Amino acid sequence: MARLSLKAVEDRVAPLAGRETYDREFILDLLLAYGKPQGNVTRLRNGSLNVALDPTTEVAQKNVVYFKETNGDPLTVLEELKASPAVVRFSTRFVIVTDYVDVVAHDSKTNETIGFPIREIDQHFTFFLPWAGMEKAQYVAESHADVKAAERMGKLFDELLNANPGIFDDEQGRHSLNIFFTRLLFCFFAEDTGIFDDNQFTNAVGSQTQPDGSDMAEFLADLFQALDTADPVDKPTHLAEFPYVNGRLFTITDDQTVPRFTKQAREELIASGTLIWRDINPDIFGSMFQAIVTPGKRSDLGQHYTSVPNILKTIEPLFLDSLKAELNEAQNSERRLARLLDRIAAIKIFDPAVMRKSGVSRDIIESELTIAA
């Protein structure tokens, strides 16, 4: 049986929420919602697969769950149960206790405990995603290097080309892929610069998608839509903590598609997310990224690296020195500061004619400006 996507699990758990009454069928329905085999659930129901010590109040399956109903305090019962010999012996992943008003659950692998009203199970469905093969991920940013970041993105680019034949053969496909990479770059920088929580994007991908990458396109499309949604109430529950990003960067149009992913592409994306992007210089990343997506230039990647001091040697005498001098002189004058702002707004950073002759696409220019902002 094919593993379920995050969206599929969410849709299957939703009918379990908001019921007037609950009974032991709740845990059986919950297991089915995460894709557990119907045959196993039937055997749990008739008792042939149930390894619980007290089958009158408990349902248990090796390596999967130990469920107990109680008339007492669910949290107190949970604390006693999770250390019991039966739970330890059968390597139980989730220990769940409920009085059918509230639910408390413990993940023995991550040592996390959660509690919520049973009627709100749909709002906490991500806690049990390991049942559907989606393990909780906590990635730590470990390294940074401008060239290394471009190389990582290059590997992802190559893998996506292999997984999406023909996507880069026409202008619309190239435009769509460039916009997609611009959004990825924003997410990588955002989770390392305080726009998102630390590693929020990378951890979400690692925790809420299947290892084979089969549901990555669906997940990223939903995430982009959530980032373009102002009100958290209008976002899917599992994406509600992502902030609204204005500026239309994540506005989805009909000509933009999220490419299909493979297992390797998903791993390359996650590996890219473990870099410390806040330490990567956006001043030079755009030109490096151009080498990634331009045939024949990948081998010249190192030649695209120009240090920030060397960049400043060129642009400071051109216009930065005079701007800094004018800023210092205008510190106490609102009128002069406004005039300086107008001057800065009128500066042309790129000459479109030169850009066309050099083969640099508009998408790459926009991506660099977005990252620099």
Side-chain angles (χ1 to χ4, degrees), residues 129-143:
L129 282 177
W131 279 340
M134 288 173 265
E135 283 293 342
K136 299 166 186 175
Q138 292 293 327
Y139 297 101
V140 178
E142 296 178 344
S143 59

Side-chain angles (χ1 to χ4, degrees), residues 141 187-194 197-199 273 275-278:
C187 291
F188 288 139
F189 276 102
E191 65 178 1
D192 282 349
T193 56
D197 291 339
D198 287 348
N199 302 311
L275 299 172
I276 303 177
W277 287 81
R278 65 175 175 271

Side-chain angles (χ1 to χ4, degrees), residues 113 145 172 177:
T113 299
Q172 180 174 324
L177 195 58

Side-chain angles (χ1 to χ4, degrees), residues 6-302:
L6 178 78
K7 180 64 174 175
V9 172
E10 183 179 23
D11 291 343
R12 291 161 67 110
V13 172
L16 305 186
R19 293 178 175 177
E20 291 298 323
T21 59
Y22 289 87
D23 54 28
R24 197 180 308 182
E25 287 295 310
F26 167 77
I27 186 58
L28 303 177
D29 290 341
L30 191 64
L31 290 170
L32 289 173
Y34 286 86
K36 293 302 180 183
Q38 177 70 59
N40 286 359
V41 173
T42 299
R43 293 173 63 196
L44 281 173
R45 182 181 286 110
N46 64 32
S48 62
L49 192 65
N50 189 1
V51 296
L53 295 180
D54 182 6
T56 63
T57 61
E58 300 172 347
V59 176
Q61 182 181 353
K62 294 178 181 179
N63 305 315
V64 178
V65 66
Y66 205 107
F67 172 86
K68 183 176 180 63
E69 54 189 30
T70 182
N71 293 322
D73 175 50
L75 183 58
T76 300
V77 175
L78 176 76
E79 290 300 318
E80 297 172 351
L81 186 60
K82 69 183 187 182
S84 68
V87 169
V88 175
R89 174 188 175 190
F90 294 122
S91 302
T92 306
R93 178 62 189 265
F94 289 100
V95 183
I96 303 173
V97 177
T98 183
D99 58 4
Y100 295 120
V101 176
D102 295 309
V103 170
V104 289
H106 176 76
D107 185 337
S108 61
K109 183 174 181 178
T110 65
N111 203 33
E112 294 177 275
T113 299
I114 190 174
F116 53 88
I118 194 170
R119 300 179 77 252
E120 297 178 1
I121 179 62
D122 58 328
Q123 299 179 36
H124 304 277
F125 79 99
T126 57
F127 189 77
F128 303 102
L129 282 177
W131 279 340
M134 288 173 265
E135 283 293 342
K136 299 166 186 175
Q138 292 293 327
Y139 297 101
V140 178
E142 296 178 344
S143 59
H144 65 86
D146 298 331
V147 174
K148 186 174 183 179
E151 289 174 344
R152 280 291 186 190
M153 296 298 281
K155 291 179 180 179
L156 174 58
F157 182 83
D158 289 343
E159 189 63 30
L160 290 178
L161 288 187
N162 292 333
N164 299 265
I167 192 173
F168 213 60
D169 293 345
D170 57 68
E171 183 176 350
Q172 180 174 324
R174 290 192 295 271
H175 175 77
S176 182
L177 195 58
N178 285 333
I179 293 299
F180 173 71
F181 270 85
T182 299
R183 290 168 173 164
L184 287 187
L185 291 175
F186 179 92
C187 291
F188 288 139
F189 276 102
E191 65 178 1
D192 282 349
T193 56
I195 300 174
F196 297 170
D197 291 339
D198 287 348
N199 302 311
Q200 184 178 9
F201 171 67
T202 305
N203 286 340
V205 170
S207 301
Q208 300 178 15
T209 60
Q210 290 290 355
D212 63 3
S214 58
D215 58 351
M216 279 286 292
E218 180 182 39
F219 174 81
L220 290 174
D222 288 344
L223 173 61
F224 294 162
Q225 184 173 358
L227 292 172
D228 194 47
T229 302
D231 191 342
V233 175
D234 296 329
K235 303 180 183 185
T237 302
H238 60 284
L239 300 174
E241 294 185 3
F242 279 91
Y244 168 59
V245 178
N246 58 15
R248 299 178 60 82
L249 173 61
F250 291 97
T251 300
I252 304 296
T253 61
D254 292 338
D255 62 339
Q256 298 170 10
T257 58
V258 178
R260 294 186 299 275
F261 271 67
T262 61
K263 179 178 185 292
Q264 184 63 35
R266 177 181 180 273
E267 291 175 355
E268 293 294 349
L269 187 149
I270 291 173
S272 296
T274 62
L275 299 172
I276 303 177
W277 287 81
R278 65 175 175 271
D279 292 338
I280 296 173
N281 293 313
D283 312 63
I284 53 84
F285 196 83
S287 59
M288 296 169 64
F289 187 62
Q290 175 67 19
I292 295 302
V293 301
T294 304
K297 290 189 176 182
R298 185 71 59 83
S299 61
D300 297 330
L301 181 59

